[in-house]
Amino acid sequence: MRRRSPRRLLGVLAAATLGLTLFASAPAAGAAGTATTAAPAAAVQPLSTSTPVVFVHGYTGSASNWTTAMSVFRLNGWSSSNLFAYEYDSYGNNVTNAQGLATFVNNVKARTGASKVAIVNHSMGGLVSQYYLKVLGGNTSVSHLASIAGANHGTTYAAACLIYTTCQQMYPGSSFIAQITSGDETPGSTRYATWYSACDGVILPYTSTRLNGATNNNVLCQTHIGFLADTSVLGQIAGFVAS
């Protein structure tokens, strides 16, 4: 038998090595390709940020309470022209305040051309909002309602200001609260959600914010006023309103 030259022998070995390398790598490449084809990345659904948002402050509050919230909503795609803050008399009557909210919402709808708005409230703003949606039939004009530390079932903290009608209405067991909590607490097709915390300190008991039929979010530890600057919670609310 003819002896192969060292150079030819090296060529044969190199070819064999290359063949083994391609054979070993082929299944891995095929598996990777199969995985990519079988599990394509889920399409990201765009958020709906065209719904006008009406912010309703709490007892002794004002439109300035919503500076951070509006910034968060803008970062999430809202135009400033679709963000509105309703102001009312904290020392008057929440029936009148709810009637004023009804007028305000109608004006926002006329101004923006929207058929519905979203409402984000805080503290006593929960009472104003609930009366509007339930007693005045406002749920037909509201797509989403987000209540942040809302006094939805009252708070014993209101004992400190019972000289005012609004605080009398905010005290647990008042006829006002009985009216907005009897029967269905989340009427209509409106989507309801609340955010509340054991560290609130003003809404007592803190579970007062919860609404039957709503998505109730228990925040680990946040103070009553701290909620207004909590960008994490406000971001969740923006996502809820956009859903």
Side-chain angles (χ1 to χ4, degrees), residues 29-55:
T34 301
T36 301
T37 303
V44 177
Q45 296 297 319
L47 297 178
S48 175
T49 58
S50 60
T51 302
V53 182
V54 174
F55 296 91

Side-chain angles (χ1 to χ4, degrees), residues 41-226:
V44 177
Q45 296 297 319
L47 297 178
S48 175
T49 58
S50 60
T51 302
V53 182
V54 174
F55 296 91
V56 185
H57 65 75
Y59 181 70
T60 72
S62 68
S64 63
N65 291 161
W66 300 111
T67 300
T68 301
M70 288 188 177
S71 295
V72 170
F73 270 72
R74 283 193 294 269
L75 287 173
N76 279 275
W78 267 265
S79 165
S80 295
S81 60
N82 271 338
L83 301 175
F84 303 86
Y86 170 60
E87 293 190 318
Y88 60 87
D89 182 6
S90 291
Y91 310 106
N93 188 312
N94 280 323
V95 173
T96 303
N97 293 335
Q99 292 168 341
L101 177 58
T103 300
F104 190 85
V105 167
N106 287 337
N107 289 339
V108 168
K109 289 166 58 181
R111 178 174 173 177
T112 61
S115 59
K116 292 187 177 184
V117 306
I119 289 180
V120 178
N121 66 55
H122 177 247
S123 194
M124 193 172 77
L127 300 187
V128 176
S129 302
Q130 288 300 106
Y131 194 93
Y132 164 56
L133 267 74
K134 181 169 183 174
V135 181
L136 302 182
N139 62 82
T140 59
S141 292
V142 179
S143 63
H144 297 72
L145 181 133
S147 186
I148 310 171
N152 300 323
H153 292 89
T155 172
T156 57
Y157 199 87
C161 56
L162 289 178
I163 59 172
Y164 300 113
T165 299
T166 49
C167 288
Q168 295 169 18
Q169 293 168 330
M170 191 163 44
Y171 197 80
S174 71
S175 59
F176 183 94
I177 289 176
Q179 192 172 12
I180 64 174
T181 58
S182 62
D184 189 359
E185 293 185 351
T186 54
S189 60
T190 303
R191 295 185 61 189
Y192 297 78
T194 73
W195 281 259
Y196 65 102
S197 174
C199 298
D200 187 296
V202 173
I203 301 302
L204 305 172
Y206 72 94
T207 52
S208 170
T209 298
R210 295 172 58 95
L211 291 171
N212 292 329
T215 299
N216 297 297
N217 301 281
N218 188 355
V219 179
L220 184 60
C221 192
Q222 185 54 274
T223 64
H224 191 66
I225 300 301

